[in-house]
Amino acid sequence: MSDNPDLSTTYLGLKLSGPIIASSNPLAKTVEGLKSLEAAGASAVVLPSLFVEEVEAEELEASQVMDIGDEFAEFTSAPLAEVAMDNVGAERHIQRVKDAKNALSIPVIASVNGSHPGDWARYAAELINAGADAVELNLYDMASDPERSPDEVEDDYLAVISDVKKVIGDKQLAVKISEFVSSLPHFAVRAHNAGADSLVVFNRFYGPDLDLDTLSVVPTLALSTSAELPMRLRWVGILSAQLPDLEFAVTGGVHTADDVVKSLLVGGQVAYTTSVLLQDGPGAITTMLEGVKSWLSENDYESVDELRGAMNMSSVEDPHAFERAQYMKVLNSWA
């Protein structure tokens, strides 16, 4: 039994105190919230995403408001109040990066969220210049246009990855994807070649609901549960065996120490968590880390790095257990 296993690791070229990263969540919107995540043991934080469409709309609206004073004589003697641009559009996210870096000793990962080629690269560069230690590119897109082929959708993604990678200098790039990519292994290879240093598996899509009283389509938020983890374990277990030079982060369904251990066993470099933090507070990270350390100790592992990949597709006795051969066993397992 190892008395004091080492939880430290690396991810995106960053030295981390442990394998748990606090992914983007409301706590990361304030310095106080960020400090609470660090104090609980988060080894890095992902800041709230800069949504390209949102910041562009905010900046356009602010610009239009300021232009009014120039166009109408009645504002000459009593101009409109000056718009605080430091809280509008991209500037709000840039300031958030600066505040986080000033307040924290752990790495700060900036997130950029969009769906089509455009200004992603510019925003990513601005966030890196503000001090972000790495960038996470969140490919949050519903391919609903019947005129766009799967190849066109993926080519757009790859163009964005390449553009962003070119402008962030020596910083590394994580790409957050969904399970709806047609051929994940093929796309993973192309994404890595385009500049992705890590794949974050998987994005959670929040589907709309229907309000039967107003007959309207409304947004809905459902927090994850550990029941969502197996899909992530399957694909990281497969992909980490196929692409040993590409890092993987597991996100979606990480709620317990066991979930973190499983994420590492299949080849995840780190595990992201959010929903359990919203349910139980930042202390959930402390509880998970204590559980991970206990598991490592009880199973004679000296470190999380020693554990990583011990049960990916290339390491298990029956690699087909990660694939469809398991389907009939699952169906027949219900008693």
Side-chain angles (χ1 to χ4, degrees), residues 69-90:
D70 296 329
E71 296 176 3
F72 295 94
E74 59 264 35
F75 292 119
T76 303
S77 58
L80 292 172
E82 185 175 346
V83 177
M85 293 302 292
D86 59 348
N87 197 39
V88 173

Side-chain angles (χ1 to χ4, degrees), residues 123-134:
Y123 292 125
E126 289 176 353
L127 294 170
I128 286 294
N129 290 337
D133 296 294

Side-chain angles (χ1 to χ4, degrees), residues 54-66:
E54 179 185 35
V55 300
E56 289 177 345
E58 288 181 3
E59 290 169 354
L60 177 60
E61 181 178 3
S63 176
Q64 290 171 338
V65 169
M66 289 188 294

Side-chain angles (χ1 to χ4, degrees), residues 5-335:
D6 183 7
L7 298 185
S8 66
T9 188
T10 59
Y11 177 62
L12 297 176
L14 306 169
K15 293 182 179 180
L16 305 183
S17 60
I20 301 176
I21 290 177
S23 50
S24 179
N25 70 84
L27 290 169
K29 290 183 176 181
T30 67
V31 169
E32 292 75 16
L34 289 166
K35 286 182 175 180
S36 71
L37 294 169
E38 180 180 37
S43 60
V45 293
V46 181
L47 296 182
S49 286
L50 182 158
F51 286 81
V52 173
E53 297 88 346
E54 179 185 35
V55 300
E56 289 177 345
E58 288 181 3
E59 290 169 354
L60 177 60
E61 181 178 3
S63 176
Q64 290 171 338
V65 169
M66 289 188 294
D67 286 344
I68 290 176
D70 296 329
E71 296 176 3
F72 295 94
E74 59 264 35
F75 292 119
T76 303
S77 58
L80 292 172
E82 185 175 346
V83 177
M85 293 302 292
D86 59 348
N87 197 39
V88 173
E91 289 301 319
R92 180 174 68 256
H93 294 271
I94 290 169
Q95 188 59 49
R96 185 173 285 152
V97 169
K98 293 178 180 178
D99 292 343
K101 287 300 297 179
N102 287 334
L104 305 177
S105 60
I106 58 176
V108 172
I109 301 171
S111 174
V112 181
N113 190 313
S115 59
H116 304 291
D119 281 341
W120 294 45
R122 174 170 69 87
Y123 292 125
E126 289 176 353
L127 294 170
I128 286 294
N129 290 337
D133 296 294
V135 169
E136 180 178 286
L137 193 57
N138 194 338
L139 296 176
Y140 193 98
D141 181 30
M142 288 295 293
S144 58
D145 183 352
E147 299 298 321
R148 293 177 74 211
S149 70
D151 284 343
E152 290 174 318
V153 173
E154 290 192 12
D155 286 346
D156 279 353
Y157 289 164
L158 295 165
V160 173
I161 293 170
S162 178
D163 288 347
V164 171
K165 183 63 176 179
K166 289 175 183 175
V167 302
I168 62 174
D170 59 354
K171 304 298 184 182
Q172 293 199 9
L173 175 65
V175 178
K176 195 172 187 179
I177 62 172
S178 83
E179 68 264 41
F180 301 121
V181 175
S182 298
S183 173
L184 277 169
H186 181 72
F187 179 75
V189 172
R190 297 184 74 195
H192 189 31
N193 290 339
D197 298 293
S198 166
L199 290 186
V200 184
V201 180
F202 291 114
N203 217 328
R204 296 184 72 237
F205 282 91
Y206 298 104
D209 199 359
L210 300 181
D211 187 320
L212 297 180
D213 293 325
T214 61
L215 294 183
S216 58
V217 180
V218 295
T220 180
L221 171 62
L223 298 180
S224 73
T225 71
S226 294
E228 297 181 32
L229 190 63
M231 176 68 76
R232 280 83 177 156
L233 299 180
R234 161 178 279 181
W235 278 110
V236 173
I238 292 171
L239 296 173
S240 67
Q242 296 174 339
L243 297 165
D245 293 331
L246 181 62
E247 292 185 333
F248 294 90
V250 175
T251 187
V254 177
H255 284 247
T256 68
D258 285 355
D259 295 338
V260 177
V261 171
K262 291 174 185 178
S263 300
L264 299 172
L265 279 168
V266 296
Q269 197 73 13
V270 292
Y272 283 24
T273 189
T274 289
S275 290
V276 71
L277 304 181
L278 302 182
Q279 291 171 329
D280 301 334
I285 296 177
T286 307
T287 301
M288 285 191 284
L289 288 172
E290 291 172 350
V292 170
K293 182 169 280 192
S294 294
W295 192 95
L296 291 171
S297 179
E298 291 167 5
N299 290 274
D300 293 325
Y301 283 98
E302 298 289 337
S303 68
V304 294
D305 288 341
E306 182 185 355
L307 170 74
R308 185 174 296 108
M311 291 189 67
N312 72 8
M313 194 174 182
S314 65
S315 303
V316 295
E317 183 177 345
D318 179 15
H320 293 294
F322 280 104
E323 298 176 341
R324 196 176 184 277
Q326 198 178 18
Y327 186 65
M328 288 185 292
K329 293 180 181 179
V330 171
L331 293 179
N332 293 323
S333 66
W334 180 261

